[in-house]
Amino acid sequence: MKNLKQAPVAKKIPHELKIHNDVRLDNYFWLNDRENPDVIAYLQAENAYTKDVMTHTEDFQKSLFEEMKARIKEDDSSVPYKLNGYWYMTRFEKGKDYPIYTRKKESLDAEEEVLFDCNEMAKAHAYFKLGGISVSPDNTMAAFSTDIVSRRQYSIQIKNLVTGEIYSDKIENTTGSCTWGNDNKTLFYSRKDDVTLRSHKIYRHTIHTNIADDVEVFHEEDDTFNTYIYKTKSRKYLVIGSSSTLTTEYRILNADTPQADFKLFQKRERGLEYAISHYDDAFYIITNKDEAVNFKLQKTSEKTTEKEHWVDVLPHRNNVLLEDIDIFRDYYVVSERENGLNRLRIISWSGDEDYYLPFDSETYTAYTGSNPEFNTDVLRYSYNALTTPSSVIDYNFKTKQKTVLKEQEVLGGTFNKENYKSERVWATARDGVKVPVSLVYNKNTKLDGNAPLLLYAYGSYGSTIDPYFSSIRLSLLDRGFIYAIAHIRGGEYLGRDWYETGKLLQKKNTFYDFIDCSKYLIQQQYTSSSHLYAYGGSAGGLLMGAIINLNPELYKGVIAAVPFVDVVTTMLDDSIPLTTGEYDEWGNPNDETYYDYIKSYSPYDNVEKKAYPNMLVTTGLHDSQVQYWEPAKWVAKLRDLKTDKNKLLFHIDMDSGHGGASGRFESLKEVALEYAFILDLEGIYV
């Protein structure tokens, strides 16, 4: 290999951070200024260095990109769903990066009406995303939102679907979601704080009036909460929601009277979580009330909504997590999770029927799809597994028949699901808890300890990573890789306690679980430390930072995408987006107990002089969730202290934010870089 140019060295400008009689010295605090030309120059130097180190893989990256792209059907379309007299669908055209949103009136044989062609809308922008689309009750207008910076600050506009005119009303700095009153002229939306980007206010806008005259109908003053607004599936109520990690609160208003005042549903009580669905003359409530840790379903009259009036419909169960409900005219569908597996439970309002849809794998994902209509006998749901492409299925409650409407096509002519194996294994963590791991691999891959293995996990916010199919992942499996998902604590894979024991002052369980799963996979000869790779993004990037500080010797390489690694500094800065709303997840370090605990695992604060694995770190300059300077500072400190000669690469997308590139295929270039990085370390170039 040619001699590489020197890795960038960030200058050190000591900056003291003092609290609780403790002083942290941050030599790279100066990188927290995207307007500073020196910062931009440093980031550009890192990009140039990454490009230089990976130059010998550029042709391989291009072939990986084309290979992954070739499996995806370019001229694809979604399964249509019906809402208020129209069939809605999304389609892609060959050679184009962005979706086209269309509809047809009453019949799928009717003439197609193009609502939004995102390819045209994106032409002038390096980044483009169409956010929410909300069609007026009379079907004549659509409120839509766009983000052209990738900071999740959306502008809302209104399009006349009859004439094609886009009205002059333009509402800036919103979450992108909005909903109509039933009068077809009143629009409600949530606005963000200019600095923290917290969704903190709900406004009412009347079309064709000055935005400056919009009426503030709710202000969420508690900076640990976010607020949002939506309409119930019954279309009768507008609902303002306020939520923090542990607490929720709702206000309701009849959508026929959008100028009236919202009524409090049930006032917030710390630790009380609930979600509401309307049907007939009642509300159905999923809640953890009465210490229902895994949640239960209750019911109350729409006239008496306070919690003392709630009565049980489905009681709490210790071994079943109740996740969601979908309400229909004659049935309701309960989304549950038992022993880590998704279950869909069908219950008739009459009480005559109560049963589960059958699934026979341990490595699958099943979830209800788009079901906006009340008056239907059909449930739409999706199913996929680690070895099985995704299907969209209609299930008829009356006939009990399933109709597969669409199966994900894997193009190229070489995919056969029989060529792959999947399994679920259980690793024993250091405290004796069994942690599940889902694996998939090519049937020809030998499980003799020499196979490369990519272990992925997230492990925060109760977010569960279910086993799912990926056509992109085949590029690893067909080259001998095993792909594994560690269902570690911090998610809700095994119920609510699985989350509770992986946050706050038990957060280290998340990291220990991942490490112990890694050791188990090595012990069971799925792989070895010279062939084991770890991947995590965002809060999963914090996981990556923690495991390499604790056990760097276990991993040949690590990919940390948009990683949250400077936890103490960020959680002490309440001007940063998300910080105040995260206190119930990580703890508030203004409290010395939490400060000490967070500091003990925060990746940036615990970098030491020692050998680290090969690493690829990625970020976006405009990231609103994890600010770019966190990984920038982390990489700079790692470069200064690490004692090895392993690769440390930092790639910054100068045009995007937390979600990466916006085009359908542009994101595959990022995946190609990541795959080329680990395949190169394995000496695999074809």
Side-chain angles (χ1 to χ4, degrees):
M1 188 183 294
K2 67 171 184 172
N3 290 326
L4 300 173
K5 66 179 180 181
Q6 193 71 25
V9 177
K11 62 186 176 183
K12 293 182 181 179
I13 303 177
H15 180 86
E16 289 190 346
L17 298 163
K18 301 178 183 177
I19 190 173
H20 305 308
N21 296 314
D22 184 51
V23 179
R24 290 181 301 129
L25 188 66
D26 188 347
N27 289 319
Y28 306 105
F29 190 85
W30 66 274
L31 287 168
N32 177 353
D33 181 7
R34 65 168 57 82
E35 304 302 320
N36 182 343
D38 289 347
V39 171
I40 298 301
Y42 169 70
L43 298 178
Q44 290 172 335
E46 285 285 3
N47 273 345
Y49 176 68
T50 296
K51 182 176 174 60
D52 190 69
V53 172
M54 296 297 289
T55 293
H56 68 290
T57 71
E58 284 185 356
D59 288 342
F60 187 35
Q61 287 181 53
K62 289 175 184 174
S63 66
L64 283 169
F65 170 79
E66 294 297 339
E67 176 184 301
M68 292 184 286
K69 182 181 177 184
R71 294 194 197 102
I72 299 171
K73 188 178 181 183
E74 290 197 52
D75 52 343
D76 202 4
S77 60
S78 65
V79 177
Y81 67 88
K82 196 172 187 183
L83 174 62
N84 198 21
Y86 280 83
W87 289 95
Y88 288 87
M89 63 213 80
T90 306
R91 62 178 170 82
F92 288 91
E93 294 182 348
K94 194 165 186 175
K96 295 184 178 180
D97 259 339
Y98 293 92
I100 300 168
Y101 293 87
T102 69
R103 70 177 183 179
K104 295 181 179 182
K105 189 172 183 178
E106 293 298 346
S107 168
L108 288 171
D109 296 325
E111 185 178 351
E112 180 185 77
E113 179 184 340
V114 175
L115 304 178
F116 300 99
D117 184 343
C118 294
N119 299 286
E120 293 299 318
M121 299 168 76
K123 276 185 176 177
H125 309 291
Y127 178 92
F128 176 84
K129 179 153 188 192
L130 183 69
I133 300 172
S134 179
V135 177
S136 61
D138 66 2
N139 292 313
T140 64
M141 293 172 289
F144 66 99
S145 59
T146 55
D147 175 11
I148 57 173
V149 178
S150 189
R151 280 209 35 103
R152 302 188 182 182
Q153 291 173 282
Y154 289 87
S155 300
I156 293 174
Q157 295 173 272
I158 299 168
K159 181 177 181 178
N160 185 312
L161 299 179
V162 179
T163 66
E165 176 190 2
I166 295 178
Y167 295 150
S168 59
D169 320 47
K170 190 171 187 178
I171 308 166
E172 304 284 4
N173 194 28
T174 78
T175 61
S177 63
C178 55
T179 192
W180 293 88
N182 287 345
D183 62 354
N184 297 295
K185 63 180 182 181
T186 308
L187 191 69
F188 293 85
Y189 62 92
S190 47
R191 184 169 276 171
K192 291 189 169 188
D193 181 275
D194 291 334
V195 176
T196 67
L197 303 189
R198 181 174 71 90
S199 172
H200 69 315
K201 291 181 179 180
I202 304 295
Y203 281 87
R204 184 179 68 227
H205 173 69
T206 303
I207 61 172
H208 305 310
T209 65
N210 194 318
I211 304 298
D213 296 329
D214 286 3
V215 177
E216 179 187 309
V217 296
F218 178 66
H219 181 190
E220 179 49 75
E221 296 184 352
D222 187 329
D223 62 7
T224 66
F225 281 72
N226 288 287
T227 187
Y228 48 92
I229 186 163
Y230 65 95
K231 189 184 289 184
T232 58
K233 184 175 176 178
S234 66
R235 305 176 200 162
K236 182 174 180 179
Y237 285 98
L238 295 160
V239 182
I240 293 176
S242 286
S243 65
S244 69
T245 305
L246 296 174
T247 309
T248 47
E249 179 182 75
Y250 293 98
R251 288 166 170 77
I252 58 174
L253 173 65
N254 191 308
D256 290 336
T257 58
Q259 303 294 320
D261 294 330
F262 282 78
K263 170 187 175 290
L264 186 63
F265 189 93
Q266 160 60 41
K267 70 177 181 180
R268 70 188 64 179
E269 296 178 9
R270 180 166 173 79
L272 175 64
E273 298 178 66
Y274 68 97
I276 59 177
S277 299
H278 179 255
Y279 172 68
D280 201 10
D281 59 355
F283 280 97
Y284 289 80
I285 306 140
I286 295 176
T287 181
N288 65 348
K289 178 175 168 279
D290 306 321
E291 300 183 355
V293 175
N294 278 329
F295 295 85
K296 62 181 177 178
L297 182 64
Q298 296 194 293
K299 173 185 178 180
T300 192
S301 164
E302 59 187 0
K303 294 182 171 59
T304 52
T305 60
E306 296 76 15
K307 70 174 185 176
E308 56 265 27
H309 303 290
W310 302 357
V311 295
D312 280 6
V313 177
L314 295 175
H316 176 256
R317 290 157 291 170
N318 290 325
N319 62 334
V320 178
L321 177 67
L322 199 164
E323 295 186 314
D324 200 5
I325 60 168
D326 285 272
I327 288 176
F328 300 87
R329 180 190 59 220
D330 298 325
Y331 295 81
Y332 63 101
V333 180
V334 184
S335 297
E336 302 177 347
R337 184 182 297 274
E338 183 175 16
N339 197 32
L341 304 180
N342 305 128
R343 305 200 306 174
L344 298 180
R345 182 179 180 184
I346 314 294
I347 305 174
S348 62
W349 291 113
S350 66
D352 296 335
E353 296 179 82
D354 184 346
Y355 58 93
Y356 291 90
L357 292 181
F359 305 113
D360 56 4
S361 168
E362 281 198 337
T363 56
Y364 73 90
T365 300
Y367 55 92
T368 59
S370 181
N371 291 285
E373 286 285 309
F374 250 137
N375 297 317
T376 177
D377 293 328
V378 175
L379 165 72
R380 177 162 296 172
Y381 71 96
S382 292
Y383 174 88
N384 72 88
L386 284 173
T387 60
T388 306
S390 180
S391 295
V392 178
I393 302 164
D394 273 359
Y395 174 77
N396 190 295
F397 297 124
K398 304 294 188 188
T399 67
K400 309 294 188 286
Q401 295 298 307
K402 296 179 184 177
T403 304
V404 178
L405 301 177
K406 181 179 181 179
E407 287 185 341
Q408 176 187 351
E409 292 185 61
V410 181
L411 303 184
T414 60
F415 173 74
N416 180 349
K417 66 181 181 182
E418 302 303 324
N419 290 335
Y420 304 91
K421 292 183 178 180
S422 68
E423 58 182 304
R424 185 171 65 161
V425 298
W426 298 77
T428 303
R430 61 196 66 188
D431 60 357
V433 170
K434 298 286 188 181
V435 182
V437 183
S438 298
L439 302 110
V440 62
Y441 47 89
N442 190 292
K443 67 179 183 181
N444 295 322
T445 298
K446 293 180 180 178
L447 306 182
D448 58 2
N450 294 312
L453 188 150
L454 179 60
L455 181 61
Y456 171 79
Y458 185 72
S460 292
Y461 304 107
S463 179
T464 299
I465 308 300
D466 285 308
Y468 63 96
F469 180 81
S470 166
S471 68
I472 295 168
R473 189 189 299 141
L474 298 175
S475 291
L476 291 181
L477 304 186
D478 291 344
R479 289 176 171 85
F481 261 80
I482 300 169
Y483 183 86
I485 302 170
H487 305 289
I488 55 181
R489 279 173 281 188
E492 285 185 343
Y493 186 80
L494 290 179
R496 184 70 175 195
D497 280 339
W498 204 244
Y499 169 45
E500 298 292 343
T501 54
K503 69 174 187 177
L504 296 174
L505 297 176
Q506 298 182 79
K507 187 64 209 172
K508 290 182 184 178
N509 283 336
T510 300
F511 317 138
Y512 297 152
D513 282 359
F514 190 92
I515 290 167
D516 294 340
C517 287
S518 300
K519 291 178 177 178
Y520 173 85
L521 293 169
I522 292 170
Q523 290 164 359
Q524 297 300 311
Q525 290 209 307
Y526 286 97
T527 190
S528 66
S529 58
S530 57
H531 297 289
L532 178 58
Y533 300 86
Y535 184 104
S538 195
L542 170 120
L543 170 66
M544 296 298 101
I547 64 164
I548 63 167
N549 283 333
L550 291 167
N551 287 91
E553 75 285 353
L554 288 176
Y555 306 97
K556 176 71 173 288
V558 171
I559 300 173
V562 292
F564 175 38
V565 284
D566 190 10
V567 189
V568 180
T569 307
T570 290
M571 293 305 298
L572 283 170
D573 186 351
D574 60 14
S575 72
I576 293 177
L578 300 185
T579 290
T580 55
E582 309 261 303
Y583 290 154
D584 287 330
E585 178 72 24
W586 311 102
N588 183 348
N590 290 293
D591 178 326
E592 189 170 0
T593 299
Y594 286 109
Y595 174 84
D596 290 341
Y597 188 77
I598 295 170
K599 184 184 174 186
S600 73
Y601 69 73
S602 176
Y604 183 61
D605 291 288
N606 289 282
V607 175
E608 299 174 324
K609 279 199 170 186
K610 62 183 178 185
Y612 284 92
N614 295 281
M615 293 182 63
L616 171 63
V617 183
T618 66
T619 191
L621 181 64
H622 301 291
D623 198 325
S624 61
Q625 312 300 104
V626 178
Q627 309 298 319
Y628 75 89
W629 59 77
E630 291 199 39
K633 290 163 52 175
W634 184 47
V635 168
K637 190 172 183 180
L638 281 165
R639 284 209 194 289
D640 182 48
L641 292 178
K642 75 188 193 83
T643 59
D644 58 86
K645 294 186 178 180
N646 291 328
K647 293 177 181 176
L648 174 56
L649 305 181
F650 186 29
H651 176 70
I652 309 96
D653 188 326
M654 305 298 280
D655 294 319
S656 78
H658 201 63
S662 60
R664 180 164 60 139
F665 298 117
E666 280 302 303
S667 61
L668 292 182
K669 294 178 182 176
E670 299 171 7
V671 178
L673 173 64
E674 293 169 352
Y675 282 9
F677 174 74
I678 58 176
L679 288 165
D680 181 42
L681 292 171
E682 283 294 310
I684 299 171
Y685 303 107
V686 293

